[in-house]
Amino acid sequence: GESVGLHLPTLSVQEGDNSIINCAYSNSASDYFIWYKQESGKGPQFIIDIRSNMDKRQGQRVTVLLNKTVKHLSLQIAATQPGDSAVYFCAENRSGGSYIPTFGRGTSLIVHP
Amino acid sequence: GAGVSQSPRYKVAKRGQDVALRCDPISGHVSLFWYQQALGQGPEFLTYFQNEAQLDKSGLPSDRFFAERPEGSVSTLKIQRTQQEDSAVYLCASSLAIRDQPQHFGDGTRLSIL
């Protein structure tokens, strides 16, 4: 299940299950969104991105859904593996010339074998 | 490898000392970003370079923080007269274009101020 911890929301799943990580973004003018995975002691790693003219994009085992009406972004991971355990961040780029991505709070995904 | 390289990986300094953190971006990447990441938080923007030009330094927390990228490749983040609140992981990222391109991050420098 999903719970809000002291620092990071945490999602615990069993190996082989599908995972859904959610992100609420702040600015309706944002037009580019990115999901990153960050393992302990490492920098964020790019997973998948989506532009605001799309509502869904698929990669290898991952799907990003964008709902602009409610300013919501989700990352779906199929057949979750222990190696997927990490902190996941969404980031938004705002239109109108701003090039600085704003990172969300992050969700800790724990995959139990 | 061909990724973003940061050095040192760990830095311990006494309060009041100056530190310098280095970032080697991916070759050919125009954009370079510095971030500060506190434990349990997402990266917070510090400053941005397009080639050698520092176009945005609005995230630098004080005038003790200074960044440069003199030849448009390697960048250095310098913190003068360090304080305990400067303890954090400092991340560098580079990307091909100015915007709407995913950033490639280094593994960061973990700075601890005693």
Side-chain angles (χ1 to χ4, degrees), chain A residues 32-80:
Chain A
Y32 178 61
F33 305 87
I34 314 166
W35 279 101
Y36 289 95
K37 171 187 179 183
Q38 187 173 26
E39 297 174 280
S40 180
K42 296 191 175 182
Q45 177 186 4
F46 169 78
I47 302 173
I48 192 168
D49 58 1
I50 188 169
R51 287 175 168 74
S52 58
N53 60 353
M54 303 172 68
D55 53 20
K56 180 180 180 179
R57 190 168 187 214
Q58 287 185 295
Q60 186 177 13
R61 281 202 307 120
V62 294
T63 301
V64 56
L65 298 177
L66 175 63
N67 185 329
K68 294 181 286 294
T69 302
V70 295
K71 294 189 289 185
H72 183 268
L73 197 65
S74 69
L75 177 70
Q76 300 177 359
I77 305 174
T80 316

Side-chain angles (χ1 to χ4, degrees), chain B residues 28-106:
Chain B
H29 277 196
V30 168
S31 300
L32 185 145
F33 298 78
W34 282 99
Y35 294 87
Q36 181 189 63
Q37 187 174 29
L39 188 64
Q41 302 292 321
E44 294 282 343
F45 169 78
L46 294 177
T47 187
Y48 161 74
F49 290 85
Q50 180 185 341
N51 296 307
E52 69 278 3
Q54 187 176 21
L55 298 186
D56 192 323
K57 54 182 181 179
S58 62
L60 296 176
S62 77
D63 58 7
R64 297 185 295 104
F65 287 70
F66 172 77
E68 59 183 4
R69 193 186 185 197
E71 297 179 358
S73 55
V74 172
S75 177
T76 303
L77 176 66
K78 298 179 180 178
I79 310 174
Q80 298 176 325
R81 304 181 303 281
T82 52
Q83 303 293 320
Q84 282 192 323
E85 62 264 27
D86 300 335
S87 296
V89 174
Y90 290 86
L91 294 165
C92 176
S94 68
S95 64
L96 269 173
I98 296 174
R99 66 187 311 266
D100 291 359
Q101 290 287 329
Q103 298 181 345
H104 300 266
F105 283 82

